[in-house]
Amino acid sequence: MSPRTNPHKVTADDNPLRDPRDRRLPRIAGPSGLVIFGVTGDLARKKLLPAVYDLTNRGLLPPGFGLTGFARRDWETQDFAQIVHDSVKKYARTPFREATWRQLAEGIRFVQGEFDDPEAFERLATTVHDLDVERGTGGNHAFYLSVPPSAFPIVCRQLAKSGLSKSREGSWRRVVIEKPFGHDLESARALNDVVSEVFEPDDVFRIDHYLGKETVQNLLVLRFANQMFEPIWNAHYVDHVQITMAEDIGIGGRAGYYDGIGAARDVIQNHLIQLLALTAMEEPVSFSPEDLRAEKIKVLSAVRVPRDLAKHTARGQYSAGWQGGEEVVGYLEEQGIPAESTTETFAAIRVDIDTRRWAGVPFYLRTGKRLGHRVTEIAVVFKRAPHLPFESTATQELGNNALVIRVQPDEGVTLRFGAKVPGTAMEVRDVTMDFGYGHAFTESSPEAYERLILDVLLGDPPLFPRHEEVELSWKILDPITKSWAAKGKPEPYRSGTWGPASAEAMMARDGRTWRAP
Amino acid sequence: MIIEMPSTTTNDVNKRLVKLRDEGGAVALGRVLTLVIDVGDHGVEAAIEAANFASREHPCRVIVIAPNNDRESNELDAQIRIGGDAGASEVIVLHPSGELRGHGDTLVIPLLLPDAPIVAWWPYEPPANPAADPIGRMAQRRITDSTECSQSLQTLQRLSTVYSPGDTDLAWTRITLWRGLLAAALDQPPYESVTRAVVAGNSTHPSVDLIAAWLAQELRCPVEIERQPDAPAITLVSLERKSGPIVLDRPDGKTAALRQPDQPEHRIALPIRQLSECLAEELRRLDADEVYADVLTKGLARL
């Protein structure tokens, strides 16, 4: 018989069904809807819409979820639903289930309009309100601006004017923006002014999909959950750090966006500097967003750019060549690129960090298009042992020890160290110990966008950079891009190679070489 | 690839595994755990299939013990499966006969991965006390499946009397999604206590009792069970509150309807979970499930 006691109280902060010890229970987002601007774009079709389906399939979205598309196309809701259906079938990670699809499809809406048309936003406001009534989204809506940054101001203003950006008591409105966050410090501030006029800082989510990758979060686990790495994570043991993001593709159809922006602004400013911050920062006192951000800001504010930029940076532009067995054109021959363009497609820079931990340890960042192959990695290269009790001939082939965190593809961690070559002679050679995520854990780890979209709906921002970080990274990059702008054309490099000769020269000057990633 | 090794020893099986790794470059180092499956008198294929699926999420070495009762001599037949026949795992099937049947643990010990956790799984009838069983004793985690037992509810009651940290039952795993949805419903206003709960479902399905016990344990309100002879698992949970009930209704075992006062009805895809999915969830955590412990040892008594 049930004991005669009063039932447990349910309050906003205390749900008796959520036992803190119960780690099976999934965190399901509360009633909410997502409005995507620019649903016809590549990102929406290949990443966002499939991620929304995958989240539904994993049971992590609220039952009455609303998905609204906003675009110029003359579509009806059914047409949009068809687009979602097709992109889900083609790109979703989890298997297609009719029942899941029906559940998602019931919440799909489409609003046709131009960004400068106030009536379209009135229609959007009505649609969103209808979703609250028909689907019970509770007035909670996130606006995903998958549009060029030049359109941010107008969309933000329209959201404010139509009242969409304002939430009622007890509900929320959030905005999600994608990089680039401006093209220099000044424009980043201007952009931030526009967005912060309309949304509170806590309601602005800047998406950097790299930060949603498992490996990046694993970097924090590797550093701070283990005992054996942190003691050597400093200038006593580390010689230098190389952070690389290489792409094998060219600019594809993004000529309009890419020309005038270039590799440094496109990649270094956001991805590489964020990876640098996570690699170099001190241990945060907790993993709360505020504490994590405090450490990132601290380390970014200690980053120093070299005085002689010509000696410690390199830039290049890919020229025609053969890559992976296919003939490819040079950057200047790409469609939509002016023949005299000085935009760089390869950028490498050295920065130093003025802290006790990193004094004298250079961080080298490089990125480029049409390089050897697609790879993103952080390599922590250690100093050589101070004394080698072997014949010098025995250790000729021994390089520096290195710990490499591979972000993509084939996420994992590699450790490089010396081992004896079997045989009677004493001979030491480098070997690698390889940990692949895919070997030890799930093959089906969630896509970065799934994680990020869920975090937006849950209002959980640890992985999103804040405006202060964006400003600091522009402060690092601005002097470099300014100096490049005064120097004319970047050095050409053959497609399918690891960049221009000046990149090698820049490392050689410091007595180092780039790793072959 | 399937390699048959009739009348062999675990030592030879081990040697063969090392050789296979050398030849094929199969990496055993990434394996995170050893899963020992005791199928009793049942066939091995269904369990191996589920384990292979789960191994894609948790690469493991799978050791299946299936005694051969037709032979009297003290012998061991073994089978190694790798590659396409073993998912992301390597499967070793052991068929001991005669007296060897009583020494399953000593057959398994030489084949365990070094320094990796051990999970024991009884896909059918579990031993009377899993934690005291020779194989259960070695394991950090012991998975039983009362749903597959001939006397499901009695098995569940019996397991509750011998619970020991690390025990878990797949009937509990099968209700995770239900529990998630119900908890999420209570996250939203109005914040009112649940005064009474009703759970309806198949008369002999232990998941029905476990979800009722969970509600009774966490909400401390009267919980009533409506037993339906031929229903597919759980069909309905209703949480009664002052402003009206929250009802999660899944009559067909596929799509559920969520009804709340002043809210539109929601349809949710909520298919009955596959065995492989449940096993993968079980392997995700290897520490004791304290909530399950409370529900099993205290919650069931509240019904």
Side-chain angles (χ1 to χ4, degrees):
Chain A
M1 280 310 291
S2 25
R4 297 270 93 200
T5 46
N6 286 329
H8 271 165
K9 276 217 166 57
V10 179
T11 65
D13 308 310
D14 186 22
N15 176 353
L17 292 186
R18 282 207 191 278
D19 189 319
R21 299 170 304 163
D22 195 343
R23 282 159 309 192
R24 282 175 200 262
L25 278 198
R27 288 184 70 199
I28 301 176
S32 53
L34 181 68
V35 179
I36 303 179
F37 292 93
V39 274
T40 45
D42 252 15
L43 178 78
R45 280 191 303 111
K46 288 190 182 154
K47 297 286 183 188
L48 302 181
L49 300 173
V52 167
Y53 170 83
D54 288 331
L55 284 171
T56 315
N57 214 359
R58 290 164 68 205
L60 300 179
L61 290 188
F65 186 72
L67 175 67
T68 310
F70 185 103
R72 202 177 303 141
R73 294 280 166 89
D74 198 8
W75 281 346
E76 294 295 319
T77 287
Q78 308 87 281
D79 303 325
F80 175 54
Q82 189 59 42
I83 296 292
V84 182
H85 182 268
D86 293 348
S87 76
V88 163
K89 273 224 156 146
K90 193 152 173 210
Y91 298 109
R93 182 177 64 85
T94 55
F96 188 85
R97 290 188 203 156
E98 203 54 45
T100 309
W101 167 249
R102 268 203 310 275
Q103 178 190 338
L104 180 63
E106 281 176 15
I108 291 182
R109 304 286 183 275
F110 183 77
V111 176
Q112 189 271 332
E114 303 274 349
F115 294 151
D116 56 6
D117 176 12
E119 272 176 38
F121 280 79
E122 288 303 323
R123 286 200 296 277
L124 181 63
T126 316
T127 306
V128 163
H129 179 75
D130 290 349
L131 277 174
D132 286 345
V133 178
E134 292 162 20
R135 301 282 291 162
T137 42
N140 304 314
H141 295 278
F143 302 98
Y144 199 119
L145 308 192
S146 180
V147 295
S150 54
F152 288 179
I154 183 155
V155 175
C156 283
R157 256 178 247 128
Q158 294 281 21
L159 286 174
K161 232 196 283 174
S162 56
L164 276 164
S165 61
K166 288 277 160 286
S167 53
R168 280 184 284 109
E169 177 77 22
S171 67
W172 50 258
R173 297 287 157 106
R174 298 183 182 131
V175 69
V176 186
I177 55 181
E178 286 262 352
K179 61 136 200 179
F181 314 119
H183 54 89
D184 58 11
L185 182 59
E186 207 183 312
S187 59
R189 281 190 177 144
L191 175 66
N192 186 57
D193 289 345
V194 171
V195 177
S196 61
E197 235 173 69
V198 181
F199 293 95
E200 292 296 314
D202 281 341
D203 297 328
V204 182
F205 290 74
R206 292 174 184 79
I207 284 225
D208 186 333
H209 67 275
Y210 260 70
L211 302 182
K213 290 231 179 243
E214 286 286 325
T215 317
V216 175
Q217 294 162 50
N218 192 40
L219 172 61
L220 300 177
V221 172
L222 180 96
R223 286 192 59 196
F224 302 122
N226 292 306
Q227 174 73 337
M228 58 194 217
F229 301 114
E230 204 53 20
I232 54 168
W233 210 261
N234 56 52
H236 283 294
Y237 300 97
V238 176
D239 181 69
H240 70 283
V241 177
Q242 299 185 10
I243 304 179
T244 302
M245 176 177 160
E247 290 174 279
D248 51 5
I249 50 167
I251 54 160
R254 293 165 75 221
Y257 159 76
Y258 199 84
D259 196 55
I261 293 286
R265 291 189 180 99
D266 187 37
V267 175
I268 294 184
Q269 182 270 332
N270 34 65
H271 304 326
L272 296 196
I273 287 184
Q274 282 288 330
L275 292 182
L276 170 121
L278 294 169
T279 310
M281 71 181 188
E282 299 294 319
E283 181 174 29
V285 287
S286 82
F287 271 80
S288 72
E290 297 78 37
D291 292 333
L292 213 67
R293 195 180 314 133
E295 294 306 330
K296 282 203 277 177
I297 287 175
K298 223 167 81 192
V299 74
L300 286 180
S301 63
V303 169
R304 175 168 50 86
V305 176
R307 201 169 297 149
D308 190 346
L309 290 172
K311 280 203 176 115
H312 297 292
T313 67
R315 64 191 177 123
Q317 205 177 49
Y318 62 81
S319 57
W322 288 79
Q323 184 175 45
E326 279 175 38
E327 189 164 19
V328 291
V329 298
Y331 179 71
L332 298 177
E333 291 104 59
E334 295 273 11
Q335 212 176 4
I337 300 294
E340 68 284 1
S341 171
T342 59
T343 302
E344 84 279 358
T345 63
F346 175 95
I349 65 171
R350 167 190 167 147
V351 296
D352 285 75
I353 298 176
D354 288 335
T355 61
R356 188 183 181 112
R357 187 193 279 259
W358 295 117
V361 180
F363 282 70
Y364 299 99
L365 315 181
R366 70 169 157 171
T367 181
K369 294 202 173 283
R370 285 237 193 279
L371 296 185
H373 60 91
R374 170 173 166 264
V375 63
T376 303
E377 64 166 38
I378 303 163
V380 180
V381 182
F382 293 94
K383 293 181 171 159
R384 289 178 70 105
H387 170 71
L388 292 168
F390 307 100
E391 298 280 336
S392 61
T393 50
T395 52
Q396 247 170 7
E397 288 182 62
L398 175 66
N400 294 40
N401 295 159
L403 178 74
V404 183
I405 296 138
R406 230 176 12 255
V407 180
Q408 72 171 15
D410 184 24
E411 312 183 43
V413 180
T414 301
L415 194 58
R416 195 168 168 78
F417 57 94
K420 185 182 171 301
V421 180
T424 48
M426 175 50 89
E427 201 185 328
V428 183
R429 186 182 292 169
D430 285 335
V431 293
T432 52
M433 208 154 89
D434 202 6
F435 157 74
Y437 246 92
H439 301 155
F441 296 108
T442 160
E443 259 189 310
S444 53
S445 76
E447 259 284 333
Y449 277 103
E450 279 175 60
R451 172 75 196 255
L452 293 169
I453 291 175
L454 185 62
D455 281 351
V456 169
L457 298 177
L458 289 166
D460 204 10
L463 296 169
F464 300 90
R466 287 285 287 252
H467 180 62
E468 296 91 310
E469 293 165 59
V470 175
E471 278 207 7
L472 281 168
S473 55
W474 282 122
K475 276 187 190 154
I476 296 166
L477 210 60
D478 274 359
I480 297 172
T481 48
K482 213 169 280 166
S483 120
W484 285 349
K487 289 234 168 61
K489 276 185 165 307
E491 184 186 358
Y493 62 93
R494 199 152 57 88
S495 287
T497 65
W498 286 108
S502 55
E504 294 301 333
M506 150 194 169
M507 286 299 258
R509 240 171 249 131
D510 293 350
R512 300 189 174 97
T513 52
W514 289 110
R515 273 173 47 81
Chain B
M1 182 163 60
I2 299 182
I3 298 153
E4 299 286 352
M5 299 179 71
S7 303
T8 184
T9 64
T10 47
N11 199 2
D12 283 338
V13 174
N14 232 339
K15 278 191 197 145
R16 191 65 185 263
L17 280 169
V18 173
K19 197 164 155 240
L20 282 170
R21 190 180 317 146
D22 277 352
E23 286 168 357
V27 201
L29 299 172
R31 310 250 182 273
V32 289
L33 55 93
T34 309
L35 176 65
V36 184
I37 309 175
D38 186 348
V39 295
D41 301 333
H42 292 76
V44 297
E45 296 307 330
I48 290 179
E49 194 186 319
N52 284 350
F53 178 90
S55 76
R56 283 180 228 283
E57 189 168 323
H58 313 275
C60 52
R61 173 173 287 179
V62 180
I63 304 174
V64 188
I65 309 175
N68 178 349
N69 296 328
D70 302 334
R71 185 171 60 183
E72 279 177 20
S73 57
N74 306 328
E75 268 184 281
L76 175 68
D77 291 345
Q79 188 189 59
I80 300 176
R81 302 185 186 187
I82 53 166
D85 294 300
S89 58
E90 49 206 6
V91 181
I92 304 156
V93 187
L94 302 175
H95 298 289
S97 62
E99 275 181 50
L100 261 181
R101 285 176 302 172
H103 300 276
D105 55 337
T106 61
L107 292 177
V108 169
I109 287 170
L111 297 172
L112 295 173
L113 292 173
D115 210 12
I118 302 160
V119 178
W121 173 32
W122 294 273
Y124 306 100
E125 304 288 333
N129 181 353
D133 177 84
I135 286 171
R137 223 172 15 224
M138 293 192 289
Q140 273 80 359
R141 191 92 194 197
R142 292 166 293 274
I143 306 171
T144 53
D145 194 353
S146 54
T147 322
E148 290 295 319
C149 297
S150 48
Q151 305 231 300
S152 298
L153 299 182
Q154 286 86 334
T155 306
L156 199 61
Q157 289 295 346
R158 181 161 54 76
L159 289 172
S160 76
T161 60
V162 295
Y163 173 82
S164 154
D167 285 3
T168 180
D169 194 275
L170 290 175
W172 172 246
T173 327
R174 289 190 175 92
I175 59 176
T176 301
L177 298 178
W178 281 80
R179 297 196 303 121
L181 285 167
L182 293 169
L186 280 199
D187 278 340
Q188 301 302 324
Y191 304 108
E192 296 171 339
S193 304
V194 178
T195 51
R196 179 172 169 273
V198 178
V199 177
N202 185 293
S203 344
T204 59
H205 204 292
S207 290
V208 175
D209 291 66
L210 280 175
I211 201 165
W214 174 64
L215 293 170
Q217 175 68 15
E218 303 291 353
L219 297 173
R220 300 292 156 98
C221 67
V223 181
E224 198 179 299
I225 299 182
E226 279 173 24
R227 299 194 188 273
Q228 302 154 339
D230 297 312
I234 304 172
T235 53
L236 177 138
V237 174
S238 161
L239 305 179
E240 292 174 16
R241 304 193 294 179
K242 206 163 73 197
S243 61
I246 299 172
V247 180
L248 189 55
D249 182 9
R250 183 187 66 180
D252 61 353
K254 288 186 191 106
T255 307
L258 178 63
R259 287 187 287 271
Q260 291 157 280
D262 304 324
Q263 284 265 347
E265 176 178 319
H266 297 306
R267 284 202 292 152
I268 309 159
L270 189 63
I272 293 178
R273 291 184 99 186
Q274 305 282 323
L275 175 64
S276 47
E277 218 178 307
C278 293
L279 186 64
E281 177 183 314
E282 260 334 306
L283 298 181
R284 226 164 274 160
R285 303 208 78 98
L286 297 172
D287 49 352
D289 186 339
E290 297 169 51
V291 176
Y292 169 70
D294 281 356
V295 168
L296 187 72
T297 57
K298 300 180 196 148
L300 281 176
R302 292 181 190 278
L303 297 178

